[in-house]
Amino acid sequence: MFSSHVEQAGKRQANADVMADILWRYIQPSSVIDMGCGLGFFLNACKARGATIRGVDGDWVKLEDSVIPKSARRTADLNLPYAERKRYDLAATIEVAEHLLPERSESFVADLCNLSDIVLFSAGIPDQGGAGHINLRFQGEWAEMFAAHGYACFDPIRRRMAAFEHAHPWLMQNVLLYVKDGVEISPLLEEHRIVPRAASSVGYWHYRKRIRILRQRIRNLRGED
């Protein structure tokens, strides 16, 4: 499942480092948990910036491929409820929720809110493509779920990621930050507050991909090669 992650380790770590650099402009978490951490690239970036880390993922990750130590990892089925007594400065989940059962969506958001007052969230949108994507939703749907728990939506990362030449397109399109109402934030972050419906921004990459799919469907209906 993670063979491409291993093959693209350098690019994926570079993306994680850029995303962490952007995030640290607004918040400086001392502790971070990543739900669906994969090989741990984002946590590795957080650790380099002084945070203690916890990664949670399934048992299919080979420890020899992980870029974070075994002691920082915990195995769990994310389709099942997850809880810890500890709360973290930041809970993250990056391109994971689209792999979960649709009926797990609301409870997964609830788990993230129980883990931290600040959540970094990214998940695939409809027609994004990719293996095992069974729960594709526009970001506005997730934003409404967070709003139900009293979390406001902020958009400080997507456009800044677009300034990185080698940025993964799904990070330029999908990464948002959610903060619990009442939590003190910097004026710099406050400038990036958006309403949930504004979260469903679709980038050029996704738009062009969708157009190609529709054109191919038209050709197929017409019986064209």
Side-chain angles (χ1 to χ4, degrees):
M1 181 176 183
F2 289 102
S3 59
S4 64
H5 292 216
V6 175
E7 294 166 1
Q8 302 170 3
K11 182 176 181 179
R12 288 180 177 271
Q13 187 62 67
N15 271 261
D17 288 333
V18 170
M19 187 161 57
D21 276 341
I22 296 168
L23 182 66
W24 250 254
R25 298 181 185 197
Y26 306 102
I27 62 170
Q28 298 79 42
S30 297
S31 58
V32 180
I33 185 169
D34 188 348
M35 300 293 287
C37 65
L39 303 186
F41 297 115
F42 178 67
L43 287 176
N44 195 37
C46 294
K47 182 181 178 183
R49 287 154 181 80
T52 60
I53 58 172
R54 166 70 69 191
V56 182
D57 212 325
D59 57 7
W60 49 75
V61 178
K62 296 180 180 179
L63 291 178
E64 61 267 28
D65 294 331
S66 177
V67 298
I68 59 173
K70 179 181 179 181
S71 59
R73 303 189 68 97
R74 180 170 295 173
T75 300
D77 180 354
L78 296 184
N79 272 312
L80 300 176
Y82 182 89
E84 290 192 18
R85 292 183 179 179
K86 177 180 178 179
R87 284 180 67 81
Y88 294 80
D89 293 336
L90 175 70
T93 183
I94 303 167
E95 298 296 296
V96 172
E98 70 270 18
H99 296 275
L100 303 182
L101 296 171
E103 57 267 29
R104 170 65 169 136
S105 300
E106 286 82 0
S107 62
F108 185 59
V109 169
D111 287 351
L112 293 167
C113 294
N114 287 331
L115 288 167
S116 181
D117 290 342
I118 305 177
V119 179
L120 181 73
F121 185 91
S122 168
I125 69 173
D127 297 307
Q128 181 170 304
H133 289 185
I134 58 174
N135 188 26
L136 294 165
R137 300 170 181 265
F138 286 106
Q139 296 307 322
E141 293 185 55
W142 295 108
E144 293 287 0
M145 294 182 207
F146 278 101
H149 289 273
Y151 282 64
C153 184
F154 296 83
D155 191 6
I157 295 172
R158 295 192 289 190
R159 284 179 293 178
R160 289 191 179 275
M161 282 299 301
F164 176 46
E165 182 180 1
H166 303 293
H168 291 301
W170 49 88
L171 297 181
M172 293 188 290
Q173 180 173 271
N174 297 334
V175 180
L176 294 164
L177 196 65
Y178 294 93
V179 181
K180 187 175 182 180
D181 292 342
V183 171
E184 185 176 353
I185 61 174
S186 74
L188 289 176
L189 181 56
E190 182 61 45
E191 293 177 358
H192 297 281
R193 183 187 293 264
I194 61 173
V195 295
R197 66 178 180 274
S200 295
S201 175
V202 176
Y204 175 79
W205 159 76
H206 183 273
Y207 169 79
R208 291 296 301 165
K209 185 173 184 178
R210 181 61 179 158
I211 291 298
R212 289 196 299 271
I213 291 171
L214 290 174
R215 285 175 175 169
Q216 184 59 53
R217 288 179 179 175
I218 291 171
R219 286 194 293 269
N220 291 343
L221 289 170
R222 290 175 175 173
E224 301 173 359
D225 292 334

